[in-house]
Amino acid sequence: YEILECSLSESGYKAPSARKTGTTIAGIVYKDGVILGADTRATDDMVVADKNCMKIHYIAPKIYCCGAGVAADAEITTQIMASNVELHMLNTGRPPLVAMVTRQLKQMLFRYQGHVGSSLIVGGVDVNGAHLYSVYPHGSYDKLPFVTMGSGAAAAVSVFEDRFKPNMGLEKAKQLVRDAITAGILCDLGSGSNVDLCVITEAGVEYLRAYDTPAKKGKREGQYRYEPGTTAVLTKTVTPFSLDVVDESVQFMNRE
Amino acid sequence: MLNGRRGFLKDSVPVAGLCPQGAYGIQDCLRSGFSSVKNELLPSHPLELSEKNFQPNKDKMNFSTLRNIQGLHAPLKLQMEYRAARQIQRLPFLPSSNLALDTLRGNDESIGFEDILCDPAQSEMMGEPHLMVEYNLGLL
């Protein structure tokens, strides 16, 4: 028996609301390449399932992918992509293009009509330069100089809209991505813990795990213990249970 | 309850519940399980039909493009090769690799969910070898 949304409202029940993606991922194109950033919190509805997970996945030696949405979908999708890219590289004998990864991703996501709930940011450096794409769960994509995804996307993109400039230097660009992810961590409940960065250039990849930790556990300010006798006892009733020993048996455990 | 999915009524998949294919004209419960008319008519997942028909649709599209570019002989020759490759199978109860068929389709160069999930080598059930061979040969 299947329960459809229309039948639920007919019977007077409310369908459960969609689960938020619970991530902040961002990427920018700077002077020498691409910088990807992500937070490290994985949520299970309103509970933190993993305080330090890795959301920046490897696809090719100079192409990395941040995943938001259902964690398993993002993980498996990126692993399948990495395998396909490797097979493609072996077939053509050439390093992969970021556009090729994006094309395979969007074709696969469209095929599954959004049921594979993963939004991804693909960034990397190939023979044509540095590229950054964002791919949505239903298969659409955008090619932009800066992108953000996840539930903290609005907080992160506001930082980018304010301070992004084309062809920034490395340190300024890292600081900008760090600030954007921090905005997501502080202003969105679904994102938290540390900021991971991944700097991809022509020369290689620098994966900066836990680049910054803006959300440290707070110190408890007061004492919350109650003195014995804080609550007054009004009445006391004692009801003894009279139990008889019916049967007694001893079993020896073999402890060799 | 049926309103939302009526648009998905199967028309390209044969309806087994309404005309059972077992002996004596009744549903062969031992081999094909219990029959349920609703299960035969409506899909149990929005993507069931699209996924079941994905490979056939892809082949149809490729063949029709090939016919338009190179003429009728090209898809006919290819389909003959497909038919030959499909006949290369192992014994009825053993899983076949379908290597020739995959190479023809170009699936040997990509990995998808069909390669990761539902691996026949990891299947929990195995057919009875003697029964399956006899059924295939028509002795049963």
Side-chain angles (χ1 to χ4, degrees):
Chain A
Y1 185 77
E2 287 145 20
I3 308 205
L4 297 175
E5 269 185 71
C6 42
S7 67
L8 269 184
S9 54
E10 281 161 22
S11 341
Y13 298 105
K14 204 160 72 81
S17 57
R19 189 151 80 78
K20 293 185 79 174
T21 51
T23 309
T24 307
I25 49 176
I28 62 168
V29 176
Y30 78 109
K31 185 167 56 114
D32 302 321
V34 159
I35 300 187
L36 301 172
D39 73 306
T40 57
R41 173 183 285 185
T43 53
D44 189 8
D45 277 341
M46 285 293 123
V47 175
V48 175
D50 191 345
K51 287 187 280 196
N52 204 1
C53 66
M54 285 175 52
K55 299 189 189 179
I56 306 184
H57 309 281
Y58 166 90
I59 303 256
K62 289 206 210 120
I63 303 178
Y64 277 68
C65 179
C66 308
V70 181
D73 286 346
E75 182 76 37
I76 291 292
T77 305
T78 46
Q79 283 178 350
I80 290 180
M81 277 306 120
S83 307
N84 276 329
V85 163
E86 181 69 28
L87 283 172
H88 195 262
M89 263 207 297
L90 291 168
N91 243 315
T92 57
R94 296 180 179 135
L97 299 175
V98 187
M100 171 246 174
V101 178
T102 307
R103 172 173 285 199
Q104 289 201 336
L105 264 176
K106 78 163 162 45
Q107 283 177 350
M108 188 184 105
L109 291 175
F110 183 75
R111 172 180 170 177
Y112 292 109
Q113 292 289 297
H115 286 270
V116 174
S118 57
S119 354
L120 305 151
I121 291 183
V122 187
V125 172
D126 55 30
V127 286
N128 294 334
H131 305 276
L132 188 63
Y133 293 87
S134 66
V135 186
Y136 290 80
H138 282 264
S140 63
Y141 73 100
D142 285 319
K143 183 178 195 316
L144 293 165
F146 62 88
V147 286
T148 61
M149 300 282 255
S151 59
V157 85
S158 63
V159 176
F160 279 160
E161 292 281 358
D162 188 30
R163 287 159 42 188
F164 176 81
K165 291 191 174 34
N167 288 326
M168 285 196 291
L170 175 66
E171 283 313 313
K172 267 187 76 180
K174 272 162 65 171
Q175 187 66 22
L176 180 61
V177 179
R178 182 220 151 260
D179 287 343
I181 302 290
T182 307
I185 288 172
L186 296 176
C187 307
D188 174 46
L189 290 179
S191 318
S193 300
N194 319 327
V195 177
D196 281 351
L197 285 191
C198 186
V199 182
I200 308 176
T201 57
E202 188 60 46
V205 171
E206 208 190 333
Y207 196 119
L208 303 159
R209 186 116 167 90
Y211 178 71
D212 190 23
T213 44
K216 285 210 174 55
K217 200 164 177 180
K219 201 168 74 75
R220 216 165 262 184
E221 293 296 326
Q223 264 283 19
Y224 299 109
R225 288 180 154 235
Y226 290 103
E227 311 260 322
T230 306
T231 315
V233 177
L234 296 178
T235 51
K236 194 158 127 176
T237 323
V238 178
T239 313
F241 277 124
S242 57
L243 299 170
D244 301 320
V245 177
V246 174
D247 181 35
E248 191 178 317
S249 70
V250 179
Q251 274 182 340
F252 286 99
M253 254 173 50
N254 222 354
R255 279 190 288 164
E256 272 117 46
Chain B
M1 178 195 48
L2 299 177
N3 296 337
R5 297 266 174 87
R6 210 169 262 166
F8 288 109
L9 266 181
K10 306 179 186 187
D11 49 6
S12 50
V13 177
V15 180
L18 294 183
C19 24
Q21 277 134 10
Y24 312 113
I26 50 168
Q27 175 74 358
D28 196 348
C29 287
L30 185 69
R31 295 204 183 87
S32 18
F34 294 111
S35 63
S36 156
V37 178
K38 182 172 148 289
N39 274 346
E40 303 297 334
L41 285 176
L42 290 179
S44 43
H45 190 273
L47 285 181
E48 180 184 337
L49 290 179
S50 120
E51 280 299 300
K52 232 180 220 172
N53 296 327
F54 190 78
Q55 191 63 46
N57 282 343
K58 195 167 134 193
D59 286 343
K60 264 189 227 170
M61 206 169 66
N62 288 339
F63 281 140
S64 98
T65 315
L66 199 57
R67 178 192 178 153
N68 289 335
I69 296 176
Q70 293 188 14
L72 188 56
H73 76 284
L76 281 181
K77 283 189 184 160
L78 262 183
Q79 276 180 326
M80 209 173 73
E81 283 184 47
Y82 274 52
R83 190 169 287 201
R86 219 172 282 138
Q87 289 176 357
I88 308 167
Q89 299 279 316
R90 302 182 72 190
L91 290 171
F93 52 93
L94 291 172
S96 309
S97 68
N98 288 322
L99 186 61
L101 206 52
D102 272 349
T103 311
L104 277 175
R105 288 204 177 112
N107 287 345
D108 61 334
E109 291 163 10
S110 62
I111 290 184
F113 289 114
E114 60 272 4
D115 301 306
I116 302 173
L117 303 170
C118 207
D119 184 10
Q122 315 270 357
S123 163
E124 297 125 5
M125 294 189 294
M126 194 188 97
E128 235 288 315
H130 293 290
L131 285 178
M132 291 179 81
V133 175
E134 284 173 16
Y135 186 70
N136 251 35
L137 293 174
L139 300 172
L140 204 66

